[in-house]
Amino acid sequence: MVIDDSRAMRLILRRIVTGLNFDVVEAGNGREAMDRLTELESVPELALIDWNMPEMNGLEFVTAVRADKKFRGMTLMMVTTESEHGQIVRALAAGAHEYVIKPFTPDAIVDKLVMLGLIPDGAHA
Amino acid sequence: MSATMAPTGDDLQQIAEQVWASYLDTDGEKPLIPLPPDKLSKDVVAGVAVRGAWHGLVLVACSATASKEAAAALLGMEADEVSEGDVDDALGELANVIGGNVKSLLPEPCTLGLPEVHNDAENDPWLAGDEICRFEATWMGEPMEVSVLEKPQGGETA
């Protein structure tokens, strides 16, 4: 699942992860993502989450997802322009597994997904 | 603002070049050239407000042509297919990414607002403030500018 209020950024991330054989569901903010999660038949393996979004921001989404046992299997990766150490700590403390700072290259996303064990080493976007 | 905490034009150049290399010039064929254009343009201005220990705006300004080319590059389409909504989304995201990186150079704590895009912003009151730094460049032969404006605490950022 790709969660970002920018259609351009969702498209960039979609291109990268579809190149890694993921099917993609998109949401424009955390609230929309929560709604999509309740509609989906299975829990997504991975969520790529922006921080600054209207309605429900990325940190609030991470907190909400982590409060529901149903979504325990979903890997949460923040993909955000919030680069201060304190913000990274907050996101990880709330339950995010990994953190990528914008601007990123496709290889940066691939490296994180390899590290998380979601794709094999040597995969290319 | 403390001199040690102020971003500089060099900081803006470094951030902008990283953003261009990641999203707008991935194949190295459309580089952002750090040369001031003959004439700057505020046809399209995208900005994000920073609030907290520091108060102001981080702005990306460019010509209408450059804004369409940027949207086309980000969205993987031709410039003549780009809608006004596409330009708003693309330029807003560029301002968001640049703004977040600039925020990390400012006093903490600060929060980043959501992007806002203004057209024909030459005399827009939104752009009133003290300019802290600026980076002027040419992209695809068009003017492009990144700047940071400080506003009085309690002043309007959006």
Side-chain angles (χ1 to χ4, degrees), chain B residues 71-96:
Chain B
L74 275 172
L75 292 161
M77 56 205 297
E78 296 300 322
D80 59 3
E81 298 172 331
V82 166
S83 70
E84 192 175 326
D86 294 333
V87 166
D88 287 358
D89 183 277
L91 267 286
E93 184 60 12
L94 288 181
N96 176 55

Side-chain angles (χ1 to χ4, degrees), chain B residues 97-113:
Chain B
V97 176
I98 292 170
N101 282 269
V102 169
K103 180 167 79 82
S104 70
L105 304 173
L106 294 166
E108 292 188 51
C110 279
T111 58
L112 202 63

Side-chain angles (χ1 to χ4, degrees), chain A:
Chain A
M1 176 176 264
V2 173
I3 312 163
D4 198 301
D5 57 328
S6 165
R7 194 164 63 84
M9 191 52 63
R10 292 200 302 272
L11 184 68
I12 288 165
L13 288 167
R14 172 186 277 273
R15 278 194 209 119
I16 294 169
V17 293
T18 51
L20 299 166
N21 297 320
F22 285 91
D23 293 324
V24 178
V25 177
E26 294 184 21
N29 61 60
R31 171 61 47 215
E32 197 181 311
M34 290 304 292
D35 292 344
R36 297 302 308 272
L37 284 174
T38 60
E39 295 163 2
L40 291 169
E41 285 179 15
S42 58
V43 175
E45 192 178 3
L46 168 70
L48 304 177
I49 311 151
D50 185 27
W51 189 306
N52 292 302
M53 297 183 286
E55 304 280 338
M56 179 190 269
N57 70 32
L59 188 67
E60 290 164 340
F61 173 79
V62 167
T63 304
V65 161
R66 280 287 161 260
D68 194 327
K69 286 180 187 171
K70 265 203 310 282
F71 305 126
R72 193 171 286 169
M74 186 162 59
T75 299
L76 306 178
M77 187 157 91
M78 300 293 289
V79 182
T80 172
T81 190
E82 295 281 348
S83 54
E84 293 93 332
H85 178 72
Q87 298 292 71
I88 297 171
V89 169
R90 282 178 75 198
L92 298 177
H97 297 89
E98 258 304 341
Y99 203 98
V100 176
I101 294 165
K102 295 176 183 175
F104 55 81
T105 60
D107 285 349
I109 301 286
V110 170
D111 289 349
K112 293 287 185 180
L113 297 182
V114 168
M115 203 160 43
L116 289 162
L118 294 174
I119 57 171
D121 199 355
H124 293 287

